[in-house]
Coordinates of all heavy atoms in Angstrom, one line a residue:
A227 N 130.0 -7.1 151.3 CA 130.6 -7.6 152.6 C 129.7 -8.7 153.1 O 128.5 -8.7 153.0 CB 130.6 -6.4 153.6
G228 N 130.3 -9.7 153.7 CA 129.6 -10.9 154.2 C 129.4 -12.0 153.2 O 128.9 -13.0 153.5
Q229 N 129.8 -11.7 151.9 CA 129.7 -12.8 150.9 C 131.0 -13.2 150.4 O 132.0 -12.4 150.6 CB 128.8 -12.3 149.8 CG 127.4 -11.9 150.1 CD 126.5 -11.6 148.9 OE1 126.8 -11.9 147.8 NE2 125.5 -10.8 149.2
T230 N 131.1 -14.3 149.7 CA 132.4 -14.8 149.1 C 132.1 -15.2 147.7 O 131.0 -15.4 147.3 CB 133.0 -16.0 149.9 OG1 132.0 -17.0 149.9 CG2 133.3 -15.6 151.3
R231 N 133.2 -15.2 146.9 CA 133.2 -15.8 145.6 C 134.4 -16.7 145.4 O 135.4 -16.5 146.0 CB 133.3 -14.6 144.5 CG 132.2 -13.6 144.6 CD 130.8 -14.1 144.1 NE 129.8 -13.1 144.0 CZ 129.0 -12.7 145.0 NH1 129.2 -13.4 146.2 NH2 128.2 -11.8 144.9
S232 N 134.2 -17.7 144.5 CA 135.3 -18.5 144.2 C 136.2 -17.9 143.2 O 135.8 -16.9 142.5 CB 134.8 -19.9 143.6 OG 134.3 -19.7 142.4
Y233 N 137.5 -18.4 143.0 CA 138.4 -17.8 142.0 C 137.7 -18.0 140.6 O 137.9 -17.1 139.7 CB 139.7 -18.6 142.0 CG 140.5 -18.3 143.3 CD1 140.5 -19.3 144.3 CD2 141.1 -17.1 143.5 CE1 141.2 -19.1 145.5 CE2 141.9 -16.9 144.7 CZ 141.9 -17.9 145.7 OH 142.6 -17.6 146.8
S234 N 137.0 -19.1 140.4 CA 136.3 -19.3 139.1 C 135.3 -18.2 138.9 O 135.1 -17.7 137.7 CB 135.7 -20.7 139.1 OG 136.6 -21.7 139.2
E235 N 134.5 -17.9 139.9 CA 133.5 -16.9 139.7 C 134.0 -15.5 139.5 O 133.5 -14.7 138.7 CB 132.6 -16.9 141.0 CG 131.7 -18.1 141.1 CD 130.9 -18.1 142.4 OE1 131.4 -17.9 143.5 OE2 129.7 -18.4 142.3
V236 N 135.2 -15.2 140.1 CA 135.8 -13.9 139.8 C 136.3 -13.9 138.3 O 136.1 -12.9 137.6 CB 137.0 -13.7 140.8 CG1 137.7 -12.4 140.4 CG2 136.5 -13.5 142.2
A237 N 136.9 -15.0 137.9 CA 137.3 -15.1 136.5 C 136.1 -14.9 135.5 O 136.3 -14.2 134.5 CB 138.0 -16.4 136.3
Q238 N 135.0 -15.5 135.9 CA 133.8 -15.3 135.0 C 133.3 -13.9 135.1 O 132.9 -13.3 134.1 CB 132.7 -16.3 135.5 CG 133.0 -17.7 135.3 CD 132.0 -18.7 135.9 OE1 131.1 -18.2 136.6 NE2 132.2 -20.0 135.7
A239 N 133.4 -13.2 136.3 CA 132.9 -11.9 136.4 C 133.7 -10.9 135.6 O 133.2 -9.9 135.1 CB 133.0 -11.4 137.9
I240 N 135.0 -11.1 135.3 CA 135.8 -10.2 134.5 C 135.8 -10.7 133.0 O 136.5 -10.1 132.2 CB 137.3 -10.1 135.0 CG1 138.0 -11.5 134.9 CG2 137.3 -9.6 136.4 CD1 139.5 -11.4 135.2
G241 N 135.0 -11.7 132.7 CA 134.8 -12.1 131.3 C 135.9 -13.1 130.8 O 136.0 -13.2 129.6
Q242 N 136.7 -13.7 131.7 CA 137.8 -14.6 131.3 C 137.7 -15.8 132.2 O 138.5 -16.0 133.1 CB 139.1 -13.9 131.4 CG 139.3 -12.7 130.5 CD 140.6 -12.0 130.6 OE1 140.7 -10.9 130.3 NE2 141.6 -12.8 131.0
P243 N 136.7 -16.7 131.9 CA 136.5 -17.9 132.8 C 137.6 -18.8 132.9 O 137.7 -19.6 133.8 CB 135.2 -18.5 132.2 CG 135.2 -18.0 130.8 CD 135.7 -16.6 130.8
S244 N 138.5 -18.8 131.9 CA 139.7 -19.8 132.0 C 140.9 -19.2 132.8 O 141.8 -19.9 133.0 CB 140.1 -20.1 130.6 OG 139.1 -20.8 129.8
A245 N 140.8 -18.0 133.2 CA 141.9 -17.3 133.8 C 141.9 -17.5 135.3 O 142.3 -16.6 136.1 CB 142.0 -15.8 133.4
V246 N 141.6 -18.7 135.8 CA 141.5 -18.9 137.3 C 142.8 -18.7 137.9 O 142.9 -18.1 139.0 CB 140.9 -20.3 137.6 CG1 140.9 -20.5 139.1 CG2 139.5 -20.4 136.9
R247 N 143.9 -19.3 137.4 CA 145.2 -19.2 138.0 C 145.7 -17.7 138.0 O 146.2 -17.3 139.0 CB 146.2 -20.0 137.2 CG 147.6 -19.9 137.8 CD 148.6 -20.8 137.0 NE 148.3 -22.2 137.0 CZ 149.0 -23.1 136.4 NH1 150.1 -22.8 135.7 NH2 148.7 -24.4 136.5
A248 N 145.4 -17.0 136.9 CA 145.8 -15.6 136.9 C 145.1 -14.8 137.9 O 145.6 -13.8 138.5 CB 145.6 -15.0 135.5
V249 N 143.8 -15.1 138.2 CA 143.0 -14.4 139.2 C 143.6 -14.7 140.6 O 143.8 -13.7 141.4 CB 141.5 -14.9 139.1 CG1 140.8 -14.4 140.4 CG2 140.8 -14.3 137.9
A250 N 144.0 -15.9 140.8 CA 144.6 -16.2 142.1 C 145.9 -15.5 142.3 O 146.2 -15.0 143.4 CB 144.8 -17.7 142.2
Q251 N 146.7 -15.3 141.2 CA 148.0 -14.6 141.3 C 147.7 -13.1 141.6 O 148.4 -12.5 142.3 CB 148.8 -14.8 140.0 CG 149.3 -16.2 139.9 CD 149.9 -16.5 138.5 OE1 149.7 -15.7 137.6 NE2 150.7 -17.5 138.4
A252 N 146.6 -12.6 141.0 CA 146.3 -11.2 141.2 C 145.9 -10.9 142.7 O 146.2 -9.9 143.3 CB 145.2 -10.7 140.3
C253 N 145.2 -11.9 143.2 CA 144.8 -11.8 144.6 C 146.0 -11.8 145.5 O 146.1 -11.1 146.5 CB 143.8 -12.9 145.0 SG 142.2 -12.8 144.2
A254 N 147.0 -12.7 145.2 CA 148.2 -12.8 146.0 C 149.0 -11.6 145.9 O 149.8 -11.3 146.8 CB 149.0 -14.1 145.6
A255 N 148.9 -10.8 144.8 CA 149.7 -9.6 144.6 C 149.2 -8.4 145.3 O 149.8 -7.4 145.4 CB 149.9 -9.3 143.1
N256 N 148.0 -8.5 145.9 CA 147.4 -7.4 146.6 C 148.1 -7.0 147.8 O 148.3 -7.8 148.7 CB 145.9 -7.8 146.9 CG 145.2 -6.7 147.7 OD1 145.5 -5.5 147.5 ND2 144.3 -7.1 148.5

């Protein structure tokens, strides 16, 4: 809480650094 991450950093965190668009779509589906 109180921190942020970029879509790129989230993609890197799940081990798929090229999946930035898919990460954004997953966020939008929440």
Side-chain angles (χ1 to χ4, degrees):
Q229 297 184 26
T230 59
R231 300 289 186 272
S232 69
Y233 295 104
S234 296
E235 287 176 314
V236 175
Q238 291 172 359
I240 64 173
Q242 295 180 207
S244 298
V246 176
R247 179 181 295 181
V249 166
Q251 291 171 343
C253 291
N256 173 32

